Amino acid sequence: MKPRILIVDDEESIREFLEIMLKILCVLDFFANFAWNLNMKWVWFILYVKLNLITCEFHLLYKKNKYTQMKQYGLIGYPLSHSFSKGYFAEKFLKENITDANYDVFPLEKIEDFTALYQNKENLIGLNVTIPYKQQVIPFLDELDETSANIGAVNTVKFTQGKRIGYNTDAYGFEMSLKPMLQSHHTNALILGTGGASKAVEYVLKKLGISF
């Protein structure tokens, strides 16, 4: 008979399952000691082996669920040797006491590798997108929010309910940084660059009525 694999994916289920497992282990331990005291060594041996097998299975299951619960975030782009994102988020998670999240960098030599990445990372929750893929990633997404659709570039991908949804936070960040410094004579701007980030800058300048 093939063993059944149980995956519990929330803290309450894990706690309930742990309580059940502990009760089973205690009962088996009681009968194993009882059999030993009655000199029924063959019964003791069977119970002892079963006790250890269940303990090992529980540890494996717990590790599996712990891995499944770990939320995976990351950054895609190429090259990424210069990126400080992994260290930044590691420190951020530590300071915020976030223990169920991990952040890695995923250098993709070509955007087509994006498909293999999200298919092989079942616990992938979100990705940041940097050069040169802020525009190239769009055909691989299921949806775009209104802002990223208007900009034509994405710097964030959220994985939810089997869908890949693109967002653009460059625009919000640039607008919030620019607004406090704007004065009445600021009516023209010069944009250096033509990449995905520049598209977010164009979007904000148009929104604010500033020529460029």
Side-chain angles (χ1 to χ4, degrees):
M1 184 174 65
K2 292 183 178 180
R4 291 178 295 176
I5 299 176
L6 173 65
I7 301 299
V8 287
D9 56 4
D10 60 85
E11 291 185 4
E12 183 63 27
S13 297
I14 291 176
R15 185 161 50 251
E16 291 177 359
F17 182 73
L18 176 59
E19 291 175 356
I20 294 171
M21 288 295 294
L22 287 175
K23 290 177 181 178
I24 293 173
L25 292 174
C26 288
V27 170
L28 285 176
D29 183 60
F30 170 80
F31 281 108
N33 288 323
F34 184 74
W36 178 266
N37 291 331
L38 292 179
N39 204 29
M40 300 171 63
K41 293 185 178 180
W42 63 273
V43 177
W44 171 84
F45 178 76
I46 293 174
L47 290 173
Y48 184 76
V49 170
K50 189 62 177 177
L51 183 66
N52 280 277
L53 286 174
I54 291 178
T55 304
C56 291
E57 289 172 1
F58 173 72
H59 282 301
L60 289 173
L61 177 62
Y62 180 77
K63 287 182 179 180
K64 174 64 177 176
N65 279 281
K66 188 176 182 180
Y67 171 77
T68 303
Q69 287 186 316
M70 184 66 71
K71 299 179 180 68
Q72 180 67 60
Y73 300 91
L75 171 69
I76 63 169
Y78 194 82
L80 293 178
S81 56
H82 64 283
S83 175
F84 61 86
S85 295
K86 182 172 182 176
Y88 171 82
F89 280 102
E91 184 178 353
K92 181 73 172 177
F93 293 156
L94 184 62
K95 287 183 177 179
E96 299 293 333
N97 196 30
I98 299 173
T99 59
D100 63 345
N102 184 55
Y103 193 101
D104 284 310
V105 293
F106 304 106
L108 306 180
E109 292 190 11
K110 55 184 185 298
I111 191 58
E112 289 76 16
D113 294 337
F114 176 68
T115 302
L117 173 64
Y118 69 74
Q119 288 180 343
N120 293 329
K121 295 284 185 181
E122 296 180 358
N123 55 339
L124 192 59
I125 302 297
L127 290 172
N128 296 125
V129 185
T130 189
I131 56 173
Y133 299 137
K134 291 189 176 185
Q135 296 168 261
Q136 295 182 38
V137 75
I138 291 177
F140 295 85
L141 305 180
D142 298 301
E143 295 178 17
L144 298 178
D145 77 329
E146 184 179 355
T147 301
S148 59
N150 289 330
I151 293 172
V154 163
N155 77 329
T156 305
V157 177
K158 180 180 180 180
F159 298 82
T160 178
Q161 298 179 345
K163 292 185 177 181
R164 302 173 295 280
I165 305 175
Y167 299 87
N168 191 303
T169 62
D170 285 335
Y172 177 82
F174 177 65
E175 184 176 357
M176 292 300 102
S177 299
L178 181 63
K179 272 185 174 180
M181 299 184 290
L182 284 181
Q183 298 182 29
S184 59
H185 63 278
H186 292 149
T187 57
N188 293 282
L190 174 64
I191 301 175
L192 302 177
T194 58
S198 70
K199 289 186 174 296
V201 172
E202 290 179 15
Y203 172 83
V204 172
L205 293 178
K206 288 177 181 178
K207 181 179 177 181
L208 298 176
I210 299 175
S211 301
F212 53 91

